Structure formats: structure tokens, C-alpha cells
């Protein structure tokens, strides 16, 4: 009874997350409630559900507390990494660092522009992450493409290329980061094994769009200063300086002043904060930010410390640097340009969403649901490549974070010693679960790229949906088929590389 009720609560929580915009309830709230309720049910039914794990007089309460602390330590590593990465990217964006790259785009040819945007998105996503890259590129497209309908096609392309680009980098997608932190994959092997399939997944849709857009031109909107974008976009709308300042008790006069700055307005008495940023400073922040992100895999390899330590090192370096370069600036500049100010723009609701959903999945893992699910998948489909493709397609309907979290609990991470005595097909199958085994690499690809098939299937899609007001049905009619063809082409490429 309790076993089934836990699954029902989890499914209902999932539905609430998927219908966030319809229910007008933030998905973080649904995820947190789901996690607490599922763990509470587990406590109630622990004597029955955990019978096989209660040994040597160990009480159910003691076992559950141990399991909860174990899962929470793993989740905390992911969350600290995400928070650090968000701070770095927001800091670069606050200094208009990405303009050093995007200002070089001058073409008005639709085909040339879509390839330029697609290429930039693909590689930006690998170095930053797919969510942040989508926000940056959508902001850029508002300055490059005036026609709303034409811009939606470009934004859809950004979602597809961002997810494809994030799949082959250990820091490009939260699910790949989860596998990297969990030691299922290593940075060097995921890059080598997935860059070609990911390229195929991005190039195939771009080739199709090339024929569709041949001979078309794009026109830029009239120049206008736009507000500084924030990654904090959800069903409530975009972040505003006023809302954050009001929460922190800043005076109304200062609130209005900061709102003017964020909207590109200024006065003779109070200059725009960006006026304090010199071209040299902008380039320095960009180089330090990208360098800090790229250094994380190197830091992990050199020190064997977890990735969140590397990202926190990068945050610390940038924090000190920005404090020093802005030490003589006025308070309103520091509010926008230093880490203290940037922290108010970090999307904490996403962090709490990840916390809630990962805790809920860990409860199901402790109760045995995920092992039972793995057994059913093996008995029904058998082939691990087919299972991963199905997981990828399912990730377009529901969030890929719990799917990957579930797969990490469903299937074991094996060591060489576990393969001792195995031969033939069984040896080949079990070797896929070693570190950097084919199952984990293909899972990273499928969960990352498969989410593009529907706009609600990835963080990048949800962000684009909120920023450009893309409807679910428009994306389904125009972009989903392109994403699906690219996804299947990339999956076929991966299988061909490792089977044939």
C-alpha cells in the first residue's frame, strides 16, 4: 500500500511540475512538497519496505537517517556546482562580457545567420551550460531579428543546438554534470565519445533549415537599450531590480534608480553602471569567467577533489577581482557589478527544484522502486541502447533531471573486479556499466538531446518559452520534428561508432 502510494505521489508531483504554467504554481514548490511527502511515506512504511536492509539490530529510523544524509551529500555537490556556475555566468553578463563576441555578427542573410547562431550556441553551451547559453542567445536574437515569427524559428534552433552542445561537455548540461560528479563518466572520455553524435544532432536540423530559409533576409530592430537579462525566468515573469531591492529593504529612491540603470537609462548626475566598465575590463571578466569554467575539469583531474570545489575556486577568484576593480566605484555600480549584487539575480528557484526532485528520486531508490523499474525495462526491452533512446524520448515529456537520477540509481556503477569470471555476452553487457561505459555515455547523450523534442523537455526550452512566449503547440508543429530527426541521427551515429 505505502509502496504504491509513494509512486502515485511522485507521479502527481511530476504532473504538477509539467503543468507549472497552467497551475500557476512554481515547479520548485511542487518538487519540494513531493520530496517531503514521499520521504514521510517511506518513514511510515519503513518496517515493511526496508525489511531486507534492517540487519544487526539496526532500527528503521537510523537506517533512513543514514540514507538521507548519504543522498543529501551527493545532491549538495550538484547544487553547489550549479550555484557557482550561475554566479560566474551572471557576473560576465553583468559586465556585458558576451558582447565582445556577439557584436561581431553583422550578416542579414537568414541561412548564414542561423548557422552562425547555431555554431555559437553549440560551443557556448559546452563551455557554459545549455540554460545560460539559451538566455544569452535569445537576448542576442532580439537585437538581430526584428520579425517575431522569424525570430521564433531562430529561438527553436537555439534550443536544439544548446541541448546538443551541452550533452558532450561535463559542465554543459545538468544531467551530464550529475553523471560526471557521480563518477559514471570522466571529462575527457565524454568529450571524445559524444562530440561527433552531438554535432550530428545539431547539424541535421540546421541542414533542413538551410533549405527552408534559402533566399530569405532578416532585418534588425531599431537600436534600443535593453534591460540586463537574468536567468531567473519562470511563470511569474522576469526578474526586476525593484522586486529584489524591495525584498532587501532598499529605499524606494534607490529602487527607482537601479531600475533606470537596468533599463539602460541614465542621467548626468547618476551614470549607467556599464559606463564604469572599460573594454579592457569587459574582456578580462569574460576571459576569467570562461577560464574558470573551463578550468574545473582540469582542477578535478589534478587534485581529485569534486568539481564543486573547482567552481567555488573560480567564484572566489572572480569575486576578489571584481571587488578590486570596482573598489572606487559608487554603490549603485557595485550593486550591479560585484558578486554580492549578482547573487540577487541567481535563479534560486531552479536550485530548489533540483533539490526537491533529487530528494524525491532518492526516496524511491531507497524504497526499491528504481531497481524494480530497471528489472522491468530489462525484461521488456533488453537492449540497453533501446532503453536509453526511450529514456531520451521520455525526457522530452518530463524533466530529464529525475530520469537521469533514476537511471543512476537503477543501474549499478561497476568496477573491473565485478566483471571477474564473466564471459561472452554477459561480459559485454556488464562492461557497459563501468566508468565511461557505453551505457553512461549514451545516457548522457539521450537525456540531454532528447529533451529538445518538446519545449517543456529541457531547461533551455522552458527558458526560451518564457522569454519569447513560445507556445507549446507552435514548437510541436515547427521544431519538434527537426529535433527528433537530429536526435535519432545522433543516436544512430553513436551506435554505429560503438557497435560496428
Amino acid at each position: 500500500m505505502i509502496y504504491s502510494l509513494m509512486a502515485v505521489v511522485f507521479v502527481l508531483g511530476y504532473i504538477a511540475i509539467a503543468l507549472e504554467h497552467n497551475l500557476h504554481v512554481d515547479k520548485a514548490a511542487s518538487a519540494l512538497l513531493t520530496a517531503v511527502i514521499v520521504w514521510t511515506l517511506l518513514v511510515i512504511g519503513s518496517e515493511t519496505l526496508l525489511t531486507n536492509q534492517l540487519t544487526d539490530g539496526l532500527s528503521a529510523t537510523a537506517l533512513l537517517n543514514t540514507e538521507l544524509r548519504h543522498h543529501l551529500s551527493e545532491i549538495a555537490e550538484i547544487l553547489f556546482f550549479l550555484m557557482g556556475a550561475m554566479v560566474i555566468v551572471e557576473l560576465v553578463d553583468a559586465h556585458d562580457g558576451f558582447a565582445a563576441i556577439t557584436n561581431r555578427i553583422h550578416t542579414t542573410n537568414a541561412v548564414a545567420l542561423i548557422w552562425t547562431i547555431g555554431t555559437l550556441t553549440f560551443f557556448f553551451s559546452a563551455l557554459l551550460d545549455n540554460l545560460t547559453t539559451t538566455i544569452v542567445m535569445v537576448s542576442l536574437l532580439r537585437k538581430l531579428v526584428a520579425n517575431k515569427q522569424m525570430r521564433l524559428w531562430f529561438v527553436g534552433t537555439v534550443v536544439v543546438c544548446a541541448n546538443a552542445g551541452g550533452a558532450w561537455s561535463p559542465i554543459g548540461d545538468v544531467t551530464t554534470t550529475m553523471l560526471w560528479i557521480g563518477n559514471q563518466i570522466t571529462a575527457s572520455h565524454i568529450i571524445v565519445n559524444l562530440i561527433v553524435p552531438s554535432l550530428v544532432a545539431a547539424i541535421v536540423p540546421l541542414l533542413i533549415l538551410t533549405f527552408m530559409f534559402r533566399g530569405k533576409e532578416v532585418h534588425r530592430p531599431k537600436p534600443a537599450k535593453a534591460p540586463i537579462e537574468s536567468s531567473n525566468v519562470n511563470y511569474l515573469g522576469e526578474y526586476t531590480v525593484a522586486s529584489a531591492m524591495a525584498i532587501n529593504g532598499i529605499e524606494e529612491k534607490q529602487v527607482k534608480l537601479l531600475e533606470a540603470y537596468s533599463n539602460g537609462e541614465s542621467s548626468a548626475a547618476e551614470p549607467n553602471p556599464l559606463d564604469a566598465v572599460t573594454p579592457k575590463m569587459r574582456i578580462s571578466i569574460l576571459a576569467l569567467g570562461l577560464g574558470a569554467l573551463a578550468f574545473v575539469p582540469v582542477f578535478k583531474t589534478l587534485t581529485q577533489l569534486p568539481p564543486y570545489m573547482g567552481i567555488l575556486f573560480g567564484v572566489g577568484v572572480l569575486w576578489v577581482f571584481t571587488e578590486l576593480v570596482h573598489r572606487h566605484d559608487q554603490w549603485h555600480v557595485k550593486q550591479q557589478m560585484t558578486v554580492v549584487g549578482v547573487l540577487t539575480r541567481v535563479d534560486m528557484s531552479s536550485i530548489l527544484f533540483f533539490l526537491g526532485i533529487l530528494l524525491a528520486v532518492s526516496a524511491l531508490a531507497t524504497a526499491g522502486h528504481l531497481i524494480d523499474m530497471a528489472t522491468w525495462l530489462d525484461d521488456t526491452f533488453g537492449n540497453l541502447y533501446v532503453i536509453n533512446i526511450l529514456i531520451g524520448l521520455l525526457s522530452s515529456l518530463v524533466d530529464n533531471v529525475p530520469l537521469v537520477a533514476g537511471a543512476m540509481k537503477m543501474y549499478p556503477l561497476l568496477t573491473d573486479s565485478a566483471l571477474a569470471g564473466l564471459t561472452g555476452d554477459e561480459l559485454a553487457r556488464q562492461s557497459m556499466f563501468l566508468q565511461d561505459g557505453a551505457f553512461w555515455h549514451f545516457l548522457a547523450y539521450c537525456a540531454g538531446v532528447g529533451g529538445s523534442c518538446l519545449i517543456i523537455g529541457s531547461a533551455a526550452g522552458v527558458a526560451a518559452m518564457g522569454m519569447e512566449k513560445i507556445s507549446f503547440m507552435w514548437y510541436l508543429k515547427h521544431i519538434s520534428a527537426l529535433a527528433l530527426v537530429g536526435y535519432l541521427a545522433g543516436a544512430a551515429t553513436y551506435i554505429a561508432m560503438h557497435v560496428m
Side-chain angles (χ1 to χ4, degrees):
M1 176 63 179
I2 295 294
Y3 181 89
S4 301
L5 190 56
M6 289 176 65
V8 170
V9 170
F10 185 79
V11 170
L12 290 176
Y14 234 124
I15 294 173
I17 290 169
L19 298 178
E20 172 192 21
H21 290 78
N22 302 87
L23 298 176
H24 296 282
V25 176
D26 193 287
K27 63 182 179 180
S30 301
L32 290 173
L33 284 174
T34 301
V36 176
I37 294 172
V38 170
W39 271 100
T40 302
L41 290 172
L42 180 56
V43 170
I44 296 172
S46 58
E47 296 292 344
T48 302
L49 296 175
L50 306 178
T51 302
N52 296 331
Q53 302 179 49
L54 297 177
T55 58
D56 300 328
L58 183 66
S59 69
T61 303
L63 175 61
L64 282 176
N65 280 313
T66 300
E67 287 291 316
L68 182 56
R69 290 190 185 99
H70 169 71
H71 290 301
L72 189 58
S73 66
E74 294 179 345
I75 294 169
E77 291 190 12
I78 298 171
L79 299 186
F80 281 128
F81 180 89
L82 289 175
M83 285 189 288
M86 287 179 177
V87 168
I88 290 174
V89 173
E90 286 283 358
L91 199 60
V92 173
D93 197 34
H95 288 79
D96 205 21
F98 298 111
I101 299 173
T102 57
N103 284 346
R104 299 179 183 274
I105 301 175
H106 302 293
T107 183
T108 58
N109 180 276
V111 173
L113 183 60
I114 205 163
W115 276 94
T116 301
I117 293 296
T119 303
L120 284 175
T121 302
F122 184 85
F123 289 104
F124 270 16
S125 184
L127 188 56
L128 304 177
D129 64 70
N130 50 13
L131 172 60
T132 301
T133 300
T134 299
I135 293 166
V136 171
M137 298 310 293
V138 170
S139 301
L140 168 67
L141 285 170
R142 290 173 174 174
K143 303 174 184 177
L144 296 178
V145 184
N147 183 275
K148 173 71 173 179
Q149 288 302 312
M150 176 67 78
R151 189 164 71 243
L152 292 184
W153 282 96
F154 281 83
V155 172
T157 304
V158 164
V159 173
V160 172
C161 292
N163 287 329
W168 63 275
S169 164
I171 61 175
D173 184 275
V174 65
T175 53
T176 312
T177 301
M178 289 164 58
L179 291 167
W180 181 43
I181 292 175
N183 291 318
Q184 277 83 3
I185 62 174
T186 60
S188 58
H189 283 83
I190 194 69
I191 293 172
V192 170
N193 283 275
L194 289 191
I195 188 169
V196 174
S198 296
L199 273 170
V200 171
I203 289 174
V204 168
L206 287 173
L207 287 173
I208 297 173
L209 289 170
T210 297
F211 292 100
M212 295 175 60
F213 287 167
R214 181 173 294 174
K216 294 186 178 181
E217 296 286 322
V218 294
H219 302 284
R220 300 192 179 200
K222 295 180 179 180
K225 293 184 178 180
I228 297 174
E229 293 292 342
S230 166
S231 62
N232 194 2
V233 180
N234 58 24
Y235 77 94
L236 293 173
E238 298 180 7
Y239 165 91
T240 63
V241 176
S243 61
M245 294 302 103
I247 291 172
N248 288 291
I250 304 297
E251 294 179 2
E252 182 180 357
K253 178 181 177 181
Q254 296 172 334
V255 171
K256 292 180 178 179
L257 187 60
L258 286 174
E259 278 193 318
Y261 297 146
S262 68
N263 286 287
E265 302 169 8
S266 61
S267 65
E270 301 287 356
N272 190 307
L274 284 176
D275 293 340
V277 180
T278 64
K280 183 178 179 181
M281 187 188 302
R282 183 177 292 115
I283 296 297
S284 298
I285 295 292
L286 175 64
L288 278 174
L290 298 183
L293 292 167
F295 180 67
V296 174
V298 178
F299 181 88
K300 183 178 186 294
T301 302
L302 293 176
T303 65
Q304 299 304 308
L305 289 171
Y308 74 89
M309 293 295 288
I311 206 75
L312 292 179
F313 174 77
V315 171
V317 170
L318 275 165
W319 197 328
V320 171
F321 181 80
T322 53
E323 289 283 353
L324 291 175
V325 297
H326 293 297
R327 64 187 182 276
H328 299 305
D329 292 331
Q330 298 180 28
W331 69 268
H332 62 268
V333 175
K334 293 181 179 180
Q335 283 285 342
Q336 292 288 329
M337 302 297 179
T338 62
V339 172
V340 174
V342 165
L343 285 172
T344 64
R345 300 197 295 275
V346 171
D347 187 6
M348 287 305 298
S349 66
S350 291
I351 298 296
L352 292 175
F353 164 70
F354 292 132
L355 173 63
I357 203 66
L358 292 175
L359 278 175
V361 169
S362 67
L364 297 184
T366 303
H369 292 77
L370 301 186
I371 294 176
D372 293 342
M373 177 63 72
T375 302
W376 179 81
L377 287 172
D378 286 340
D379 292 342
T380 305
F381 301 103
N383 188 291
L384 293 175
Y385 290 111
V386 174
I387 290 172
N388 268 333
I389 290 175
L390 292 174
I391 289 175
L393 292 175
L394 187 58
S395 75
S396 68
L397 183 62
V398 294
D399 197 274
N400 56 6
V401 171
L403 288 176
V404 172
M408 291 169 68
K409 302 295 183 183
M410 284 191 290
Y411 296 98
L413 174 60
L414 301 180
T415 60
D416 290 329
S417 60
L419 304 184
L422 298 179
T423 57
D425 292 341
E426 185 61 22
L427 175 62
R429 177 183 173 83
Q430 295 302 319
S431 64
M432 296 177 73
F433 297 107
L434 294 171
Q435 185 182 53
D436 285 317
F439 177 82
W440 304 118
H441 287 163
F442 199 42
L443 175 63
Y445 169 82
C446 291
V449 180
S452 300
C453 295
L454 294 176
I455 196 167
I456 63 171
S458 66
V462 172
M465 186 180 190
M467 294 179 72
E468 283 295 305
K469 303 299 183 288
I470 303 175
S471 70
F472 178 89
M473 291 307 300
W474 186 93
Y475 190 95
L476 181 65
K477 291 177 181 178
H478 298 92
I479 304 296
S480 291
L482 295 173
L484 178 61
V485 170
Y487 169 65
L488 294 177
T493 301
Y494 181 88
I495 294 173
M497 291 169 57
H498 290 81
V499 175
M500 299 179 182

